[in-house]
């Protein structure tokens, strides 16, 4: 019988991942592993994990990784990539990490056209710390630190990182995807692959923003979180290629 | 080798290059700007990397990343910039990343003054970040010493897989004096340093080899990691360095480090000619501290200790007190906020003590 | 023997270069200890610049002494600021083109020359510091003139066109310095 699917070698078999049931972080991690396998670059890969739920899988990755201080993943990745250009260096960051505390490091790395890949997991909330408001939280979306939901006058507007970075000249590739449907999962995988290929080809800064979920802190069942993405998240964060140089 | 005339900051940078440093990231702040500026010119000549980070926070984290690849890496800043770096320093200490950094310190607290000071002593020696880690901290009092310390710092950092701090005041950083430069590590040696770190370096080991896991969080056993680090710190007694100058018969002993010690030493030469029996204990490593030099003093002879430093309130004095342990009075001679210690101030203070 | 020198003036008058030439020449060609300590940062931008040179047979303690053996002032504010640091009977070198006020310190030996005008006469206002360095060396001989000139020559290596002008400036200074001894 022909083998049409096998588990990525990027994930250990003897460990259970730390994500909540139904959390898309699991899917995204798996996709990254699969792309590394398919491109046969697992032996070059270095993951730089942000602080947040994105760090919950570090124990079950089989390849090199490090954890950056909260928000500094792009700076740490810059150091690794410049000191060791042969490595395939990507950051894996949540929205609090990438767009709030790390905004300076993120924009600056993008503006330098740093030859790294950013996997930016936007779930509109601070997952790890228990559902506080993020820069990406939607209007009306409740958070533990915004009990009445996001209000423009008080909290400003949801931040669109792809569009913000698209104002810069340097970035090579910016795409927003999601993992809410099988078709979107495949698109996400393709985008990750493209971003890694860009890096191998020395094209510079690439980012895939993945609209993700947080059933736990959104307070919804995993299945309902998919509806929420479709109905609320995607209208605010439309999918597609924003930049492809 | 012929002596060359060099500025402290540039000398530190050149010493680092010669020690095999091939990655530097920093952010402008007076009085250490000549360090990043020098690296910006010099690194391309030796195949090294210079990055001007967007902030001190970013720079130290770039060094954390570069150090994680096993590349000899360095950053520098001054006082309030060092505070911003404390996050990354603590991460390096936790993940056991070898790296060297220099604080060309200025007045404080806050933005303080751009002029030389020694107001970061407690931060440097006791807590350069959260979590109770320790570092070897060297305090040069000449440009030559700054060179030698920086050169050797990379070896200590490598040996311990731990950050090493050069605590240098703005005087030593900005002054020029004749120096002799150490030997340049060859490209082969530099490559070998990195190769030697391969086992733990985070460069891509793939799934089949023992994975490198730079683990600042020690999610699985933080206490174990603390115990391991503490055991390493315990081995540092052998690394304590101190200069004792004319202490054997001294009735007054000056305690000072860095530029203040240098100024004090020149005062001692004058005072000795006046017949005043005064000496100097100069910690060269300010951490670990040479407590023994103070413990072993004959307190039936020593009338008083004079703590000389460019910090108000005094900071070095806490370590001096531990060594002296109430066996004689400790007086102070202090400047602060960017005012440089003067020989006259030390002369006056010692003469007054001597009359008592 | 230890000589403490302070050089002070407007930014742009080349006081740092003057101090550095002297210190570097001492380093290159003698066994003496020498330090150069510049003022820096905002202070420099405020329009005044000053630096300290210590030349000594012994180890140099403070690179910035309390008392100056020699003081070179290129403008009025520098005179006011530093005259108090000159030791009893010390030597004061003044740029009399700019410093017009009376010198109140009667104990001081005063060597004065209109170096700004002299530089203009040579066709380049910028060489006033080289003239002043010449005066200082001619008067004090703290380091040999060959050594100092060698350093200037070396430093100007990249701009050989400027050498004749600087040589003229340096020699003019030397002559003035010697004549006032
Ligand atoms: C300097 C610092 N501040 C705060 C925290 C606490 N903290 C941990 S994770 C996190 C937010 C993570 O949110 P996000 O980046 O959106 O990731 P998610 O958990 O949603 O995937 C915060 C604030 C920290 N670890 N470090
Ligand atoms: S808290 Fe939210 S983001 Fe974190 S693992 Fe659980 S579901 Fe995923
Ligand atoms: Mg989030």
């Amino acid at each position: 019988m022909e083998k049409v699917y096998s588990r990525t070698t990027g994930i250990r078999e003897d460990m259970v991942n730390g994500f909540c049931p139904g959390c898309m972080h699991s899917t995204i991690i798996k996709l990254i592993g699969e792309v590394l396998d398919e491109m046969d670059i697992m032996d070059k890969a270095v993951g730089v994990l942000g602080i947040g739920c994105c760090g919950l899988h570090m124990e079950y990755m089989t390849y090199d990784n490090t954890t950056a201080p909260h928000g500094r993943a792009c700076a740490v990745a810059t150091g690794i990539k410049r000191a060791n250009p042969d490595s395939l260096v990507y950051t894996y960051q949540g929205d609090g990490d990438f767009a709030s505390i790390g905004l300076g490091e993120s924009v600056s790395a993008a503006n330098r056209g740093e030859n790294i890949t950013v996997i930016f997991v936007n779930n509109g909330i601070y997952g790890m710390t228990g559902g506080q408001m993020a820069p990406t939280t939607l209007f009306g979306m409740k958070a533990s630190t915004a009990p009445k939901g996001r209000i423009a006058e008080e909290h400003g507007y949801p931040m669109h990182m792809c569009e913000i970075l698209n104002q810069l000249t340097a970035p090579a590739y910016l795409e927003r995807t999601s993992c809410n449907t099988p078709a979107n999962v495949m698109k996400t995988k393709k985008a990750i692959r493209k971003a890694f290929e860009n890096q191998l080809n020395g094209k510079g800064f690439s980012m895939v923003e993945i609209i993700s979920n947080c059933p736990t802190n959104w307070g919804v069942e995993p299945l309902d979180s998919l509806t929420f993405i479709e109905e609320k998240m995607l209208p605010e964060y439309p999918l597609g290629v924003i930049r492809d140089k | 080798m012929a002596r060359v005339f060099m500025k402290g900051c540039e000398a530190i940078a050149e010493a680092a290059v010669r020690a095999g440093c091939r990655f530097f990231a920093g952010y402008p702040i007076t009085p250490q700007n000549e360090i990043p500026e020098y690296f910006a010119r010099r690194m391309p000549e030796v195949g090294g990397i210079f990055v001007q980070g967007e902030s001190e926070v970013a720079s130290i984290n770039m060094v954390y990343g570069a150090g994680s690849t096993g590349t000899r890496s360095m950053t520098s800043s001054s006082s309030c910039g060092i505070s911003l770096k404390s996050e990354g320093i603590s991460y390096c200490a936790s993940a056991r990343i070898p790296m060297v950094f220099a604080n060309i310190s200025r007045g404080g607290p806050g933005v303080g003054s751009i002029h030389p000071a020694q107001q970061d002593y407690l931060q440097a020696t006791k807590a350069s970040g959260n979590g109770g880690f320790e570092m070897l901290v060297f305090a040069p009092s000449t440009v030559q010493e700054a060179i030698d310390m920086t050169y050797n710092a990379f070896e200590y950092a490598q040996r311990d897989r731990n950050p090493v701090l050069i605590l240098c005041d703005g005087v030593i950083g900005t002054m020029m004096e004749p120096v002799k430069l150490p030997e340049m590590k060859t490209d082969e040696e530099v490559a070998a340093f990195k190769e030697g770190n391969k086992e733990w370096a985070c460069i891509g080991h793939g799934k089949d080899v023992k994975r490198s896991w730079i683990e600042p969080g020690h999610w699985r056993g933080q206490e174990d990691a603390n115990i391991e680090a503490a055991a390493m710190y315990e081995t540092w007694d052998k690394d304590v360095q101190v200069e004792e100058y004319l202490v054997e018969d001294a009735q007054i002993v000056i305690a000072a480090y860095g530029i203040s010690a240098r100024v004090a030493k020149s005062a001692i030469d004058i005072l000795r000619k006046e017949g005043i029996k005064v000496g100097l204990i100069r910690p060269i490593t300010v951490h670990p501290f040479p407590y023994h030099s103070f413990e072993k003093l004959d307190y039936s002879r020593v009338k008083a200790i004079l703590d000389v430093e460019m910090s108000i309130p005094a900071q070095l004095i806490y370590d001096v007190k531990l060594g002296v342990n109430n066996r004689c009075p400790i007086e102070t001679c202090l400047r602060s906020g960017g005012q440089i210690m003067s020989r006259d101030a030390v002369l006056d203070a010692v003469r007054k003590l001597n009359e008592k | 023997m230890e000589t403490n020198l302070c050089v002070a003036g407007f930014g742009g008058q080349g006081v740092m270069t003057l101090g550095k030439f002297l210190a570097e020449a001492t380093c290159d060609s003698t066994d003496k200890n020498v330090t150069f300590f510049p003022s820096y940062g905002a202070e420099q931008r405020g329009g005044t610049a000053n630096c300290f040179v210590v030349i000594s047979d012994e180890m140099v303690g403070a690179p910035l002494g309390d008392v100056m053996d020699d003081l070179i002032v290129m403008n009025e504010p520098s005179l006011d600021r530093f005259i108090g640091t000159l030791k009893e009977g010390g030597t004061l070198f003044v740029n009399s083109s700019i410093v017009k006020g009376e010198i109140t310190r009667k104990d001081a030996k005063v060597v004065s020359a209109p170096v700004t005008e002299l530089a203009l006469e040579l066709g380049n206002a910028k060489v006033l510091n080289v003239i002043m360095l010449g005066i200082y060396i001619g008067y004090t001989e703290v380091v040999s003139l060959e050594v100092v000139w060698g350093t200037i020559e070396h430093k100007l290596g990249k701009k050989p066109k400027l050498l004749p002008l600087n040589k003229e400036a340096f020699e003019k200074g030397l002559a003035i310095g010697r004549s006032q001894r």
Side-chain angles (χ1 to χ4, degrees):
Chain A
M1 220 191 336
E2 192 199 350
K3 195 170 187 179
V4 293
Y5 178 82
S6 55
R7 193 188 158 98
T8 169
T9 63
I11 294 174
R12 283 171 62 160
E13 294 192 16
D14 54 344
M15 284 187 89
V16 180
N17 81 53
F19 302 120
C20 303
C23 178
M24 277 177 201
H25 271 302
S26 295
T27 317
I28 302 167
I29 294 307
K30 191 187 71 170
L31 292 180
I32 295 172
E34 287 176 5
V35 173
L36 293 174
D37 276 334
E38 287 166 22
M39 292 175 70
D40 198 18
I41 49 172
M42 195 71 79
D43 59 345
K44 290 177 163 214
V46 176
V48 181
L49 311 184
I51 297 274
C53 289
C54 37
L56 287 173
H57 71 298
M58 72 175 303
E59 285 191 48
Y60 91 151
M61 294 167 75
T62 60
Y63 52 98
D64 285 10
N65 65 77
T66 180
T67 302
H70 196 19
R72 319 297 177 222
C74 283
V76 174
T78 297
I80 296 178
K81 184 71 187 180
R82 295 235 191 166
N84 212 66
D86 289 342
S87 300
L88 183 282
V89 185
Y90 74 89
T91 72
Y92 187 75
Q93 304 178 258
D95 41 340
D97 196 82
F98 184 77
S100 182
I101 191 168
L103 191 64
E105 284 77 6
S106 305
V107 174
S108 301
N111 188 46
R112 289 192 302 266
E114 212 60 63
N115 193 25
I116 57 172
T117 304
V118 172
I119 310 292
F120 167 39
V121 182
N122 178 2
N123 59 5
I125 200 101
Y126 282 24
M128 167 153 276
T129 41
Q132 296 84 0
M133 191 179 58
T136 44
T137 301
L138 303 179
F139 284 126
M141 195 173 165
K142 289 198 172 104
S144 64
T145 46
K148 293 188 183 136
R150 184 180 201 115
I151 302 162
E153 293 70 32
E154 194 180 337
H155 308 118
Y157 297 76
M159 273 169 83
H160 298 78
M161 289 309 296
C162 273
E163 287 77 1
I164 288 174
L165 297 188
N166 196 33
Q167 301 304 307
L168 304 172
T169 309
Y173 175 58
L174 304 165
E175 177 166 358
R176 189 182 287 119
T177 66
S178 184
C179 285
N180 62 329
T181 66
N184 279 344
V185 170
M186 293 321 288
K187 278 190 189 159
T188 299
K189 185 170 169 180
K190 237 181 85 192
I192 293 171
R193 181 169 182 130
K194 167 134 192 168
F196 285 170
E197 281 168 356
N198 280 350
Q199 187 181 147
L200 295 182
N201 295 330
K203 280 196 156 183
F205 190 88
S206 296
M207 176 172 87
V208 184
E209 173 176 352
I210 303 167
I211 301 302
S212 186
N213 65 350
C214 177
T216 304
N217 289 298
W218 289 1
V220 299
E221 290 301 317
L223 213 54
D224 296 334
S225 75
L226 303 183
T227 320
F228 186 85
I229 289 186
E230 192 66 42
E231 290 178 357
K232 308 278 189 204
M233 295 282 275
L234 297 191
E236 181 70 35
Y237 299 111
L239 306 184
V241 177
I242 282 113
R243 161 88 58 97
D244 187 3
K245 286 213 283 211
Chain B
M1 197 209 235
R3 57 183 200 167
V4 286
F5 199 57
M6 274 189 109
K7 198 181 228 321
C9 282
E10 299 192 336
I12 286 173
E14 179 60 28
V17 168
R18 286 171 182 246
C21 175
R22 289 297 178 271
F23 185 94
F24 179 93
Y27 187 79
I29 183 172
T30 308
Q32 62 87 58
N33 291 321
E34 289 89 350
I35 296 181
E37 285 163 2
Y38 190 90
F39 274 114
R41 295 193 300 272
R42 190 76 168 97
M43 278 306 203
E45 294 173 1
V46 295
I49 309 284
F50 165 80
V51 188
Q52 175 171 334
E54 60 272 22
S55 66
E56 285 85 354
V57 178
S59 310
I60 182 69
N61 282 296
M62 289 174 185
V63 166
Y64 169 42
S68 299
T69 70
T71 304
R72 291 196 165 187
S73 303
M74 181 175 188
T75 185
S76 68
S77 191
S78 179
S79 301
C80 51
I82 292 288
S83 292
L84 278 174
K85 286 189 194 287
S86 62
E87 173 190 69
I89 296 163
S90 178
Y91 266 70
C92 288
S94 180
R96 301 291 295 273
I97 302 300
M99 65 94 172
V100 175
F101 70 110
N103 179 358
I104 312 299
S105 62
R106 59 189 233 170
V111 72
S113 108
I114 60 169
H115 295 293
Q118 297 182 309
Q119 292 177 261
D120 302 336
Y121 180 85
L122 289 173
Q123 183 194 41
T125 58
K126 308 293 183 264
S128 284
N130 67 296
F133 64 91
E134 297 184 27
M135 301 176 299
L136 291 173
V137 184
F138 294 90
S141 73
T142 64
V143 177
Q144 185 66 54
E145 241 181 14
I147 289 176
D148 299 339
M149 285 172 176
T150 306
Y151 193 73
N152 294 329
F154 285 89
E155 304 303 328
Y156 287 115
Q158 174 77 36
R159 183 193 71 185
D160 297 337
R161 284 187 56 188
N162 203 56
V164 176
L165 169 58
I166 308 296
L167 179 64
C168 180
D169 48 75
V171 179
I172 304 297
T174 54
M175 71 184 280
M176 298 179 81
E177 59 183 333
V179 292
K180 289 200 167 115
L181 288 165
E183 220 163 282
M184 180 85 177
K185 302 277 185 199
T186 63
D187 288 350
E188 291 72 33
E189 284 172 303
V190 174
F193 294 145
K194 193 171 176 188
E195 189 64 25
N197 291 332
K198 218 170 177 175
E199 197 200 322
W200 56 261
C202 200
I203 48 175
H205 284 77
K207 57 192 188 309
D208 302 324
V209 193
K210 190 181 143 279
R211 181 187 63 159
S212 169
W213 186 2
I214 303 288
E215 196 190 10
H218 301 286
W219 318 118
R220 289 178 300 184
Q222 184 62 61
E223 191 188 37
D224 290 346
N226 293 149
I227 290 169
E228 209 178 283
M232 187 261 291
Y233 307 149
E234 287 292 322
T235 66
W236 285 348
D237 284 349
K238 62 181 184 309
D239 298 319
V240 173
Q241 291 179 32
V242 61
E243 178 187 1
E244 295 177 7
Y245 184 63
L246 304 179
V247 184
E248 304 76 36
D249 64 340
Q251 292 170 336
I252 297 168
V253 174
I254 294 176
Y257 72 101
I259 184 63
S260 294
R262 179 175 178 152
V263 173
K265 204 171 165 184
S266 69
I268 288 172
D269 292 341
I270 295 173
L271 292 160
R272 281 275 169 176
K273 282 180 197 140
E274 294 171 16
I276 301 178
K277 289 191 170 150
V278 54
L280 167 75
I281 295 176
R282 174 173 75 97
I284 296 173
T285 50
V286 282
H287 187 82
F289 189 84
Y291 294 110
H292 183 64
S293 294
F294 293 93
E295 282 158 5
K296 70 174 191 211
L297 288 176
D298 177 359
Y299 287 94
S300 63
R301 183 191 76 234
V302 175
K303 290 197 295 191
I305 305 281
L306 181 67
D307 174 80
V308 178
E309 51 178 318
M310 278 150 52
S311 173
I312 299 176
Q315 300 185 41
L316 170 71
I317 198 166
Y318 288 99
D319 279 326
V320 176
K321 275 180 185 166
L322 279 177
V324 173
N325 196 13
N326 287 320
R327 282 173 290 185
C328 80
I330 303 174
E331 305 286 336
T332 58
C333 172
L334 310 174
R335 297 303 308 264
S336 197
Q339 299 300 321
I340 297 167
M341 182 57 62
S342 81
R343 188 163 65 189
D344 282 1
V346 180
L347 292 173
D348 283 354
V350 174
R351 285 177 190 137
K352 257 190 216 130
L353 264 182
N354 192 50
E355 278 159 23
K356 268 193 191 168
Chain C
M1 242 295 268
E2 182 176 294
T3 307
N4 276 267
L5 163 70
C6 168
V7 192
F10 288 126
Q13 285 182 321
V15 302
M16 297 296 188
T17 314
L18 194 169
K20 223 194 272 185
F21 276 163
L22 176 64
E24 211 158 344
T26 312
C27 168
D28 291 350
S29 315
T30 72
D31 295 332
K32 288 178 195 285
N33 291 305
V34 55
T35 59
F36 169 82
F37 182 61
S39 64
Y40 58 79
E43 193 178 314
Q44 248 174 35
R45 255 159 247 128
T48 64
N50 54 270
C51 65
F52 301 88
V53 178
V54 184
I55 299 173
S56 177
D57 295 320
E58 315 288 319
M59 176 204 83
V60 176
L64 161 59
D66 306 288
V67 182
M68 296 300 139
D69 301 290
D70 303 325
L71 175 60
I72 300 179
V73 291
M74 299 292 235
N75 65 2
E76 294 263 2
S78 298
L79 177 68
D80 296 343
R81 180 164 163 203
F82 290 105
I83 188 72
T85 66
L86 189 65
K87 76 169 183 199
E88 184 76 24
T91 313
L92 174 67
F93 298 81
V94 260
N95 173 7
S96 57
S97 304
I98 294 185
V99 181
K100 299 288 183 200
E102 194 200 344
I103 290 161
T104 47
R105 284 278 300 268
K106 297 302 169 213
D107 62 297
K109 286 172 257 166
V110 180
V111 180
S112 84
V115 287
T116 304
E117 282 152 28
L118 291 173
L120 284 171
E121 277 170 24
L122 290 178
N124 189 335
K126 279 193 175 162
V127 295
L128 85 166
N129 61 340
V130 178
I131 302 177
M132 188 53 104
L133 179 56
I135 295 175
Y136 183 70
I137 296 299
Y139 189 86
T140 62
E141 282 182 354
V142 62
V143 229
S144 83
L145 66 102
E146 291 83 10
V147 162
V148 177
W149 175 247
T151 301
I152 299 177
E153 225 174 1
H154 176 72
K155 286 277 148 188
L156 289 177
K158 280 188 207 132
K159 300 176 196 158
K161 265 198 206 148
L162 293 177
L163 271 179
L165 172 68
N166 278 275
K167 176 118 197 154
E168 208 181 329
F170 187 62
E171 276 169 358
K172 185 154 217 157
L174 279 178
I176 298 172
R178 286 192 185 121
S179 71
Q180 298 206 19
R181 240 195 274 171

